[in-house]
């Protein structure tokens, strides 16, 4: 009986260790929601996406929710990035697929919500960028 418990404990510990290593290897991004999207750039009809804009801390520090929403809308304006004469080095943001766990708990995203996104895989270079391998989206603040 003791040998069986030791084996089960060793297997559970190994599974936990593999999970921790996998989770640590995920990429993460913190940003602000621009919009939740029904249209799907991936061609799959049954998924939802969110468009997230990354803002520098000095752009949001001490600002009200309305001021953050205004900054998010300005940053997400893709027409600025399509202008050949533009010297703007920012990004209009990235579209992330809402992962299964967030769909199951019915997480609602609104413009200006601060989120932390854990993802894996490649980024499709488009305007805005697109990431298919989203693992988890956590609301982190105002």
């Amino acid at each position: 009986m003791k040998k069986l418990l030791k084996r089960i404990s060793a297997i559970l510990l190994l599974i936990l260790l593999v999970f921790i290593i996998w989770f640590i290897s995920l990429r993460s991004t913190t940003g602000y929601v621009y919009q939740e999207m029904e249209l799907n750039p991936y061609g799959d009809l049954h998924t939802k996406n969110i468009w997230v804009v990354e803002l520098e801390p000095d752009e949001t520090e001490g600002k009200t929710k309305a001021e953050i929403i205004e900054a998010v809308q300005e940053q997400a304006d893709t027409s600025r990035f399509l202008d050949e004469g533009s010297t703007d080095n920012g990004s209009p943001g990235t579209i992330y697929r809402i992962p299964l766990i967030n769909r199951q708990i019915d997480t609602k995203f609104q413009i200006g919500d601060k989120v932390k996104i854990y993802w894996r895989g490649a980024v499709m270079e488009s305007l805005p960028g697109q990431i298919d391998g989203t693992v988890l989206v956590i609301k982190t603040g105002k």
Side-chain angles (χ1 to χ4, degrees):
M1 184 71 171
K2 282 187 177 185
K3 270 190 168 184
L4 180 62
L5 286 176
K6 284 184 180 182
R7 285 184 182 173
I8 291 173
S9 297
I11 290 171
L12 289 175
L13 185 62
L14 183 63
I15 290 171
L16 181 63
L17 184 62
V18 167
F19 176 77
I20 290 171
I21 291 170
W22 172 78
F23 193 77
I24 289 172
S25 70
L26 291 175
R27 298 176 187 179
S28 68
T29 303
T30 302
Y32 293 85
V33 174
Y34 173 56
Q35 67 182 17
E36 188 170 341
M37 304 170 64
E38 289 295 329
L39 67 103
N40 188 341
Y42 304 107
D44 184 355
L45 300 174
H46 302 292
T47 61
K48 292 184 178 181
N49 303 288
I50 55 172
W51 185 339
V52 176
V53 174
E54 294 178 45
L55 297 174
E56 296 296 323
D58 62 325
E59 293 178 275
T60 60
E61 192 174 318
K63 303 260 173 114
T64 65
K65 178 96 173 189
E67 291 171 325
I68 290 173
I69 290 172
E70 187 178 315
V72 166
Q73 289 172 328
E74 183 181 324
Q75 186 70 24
D77 181 9
T78 56
S79 64
R80 294 182 310 133
F81 300 95
L82 296 175
D83 180 17
E84 290 181 21
S86 177
T87 59
D88 194 346
N89 293 328
S91 165
T94 306
I95 296 173
Y96 296 90
R97 181 176 283 185
I98 298 176
L100 178 64
I101 190 168
N102 289 97
R103 290 191 309 251
Q104 291 299 319
I105 61 175
D106 200 27
T107 308
K108 299 291 183 200
F109 299 100
Q110 296 178 350
I111 187 168
D113 287 345
K114 187 174 183 180
V115 293
K116 184 162 188 168
I117 303 164
Y118 293 92
W119 56 280
R120 59 173 170 66
V123 179
M124 287 189 254
E125 294 183 14
S126 58
L127 198 59
Q130 299 171 24
I131 296 177
D132 187 22
T134 310
V135 176
L136 180 65
V137 179
I138 300 172
K139 287 186 181 183
T140 61
K142 59 176 178 172

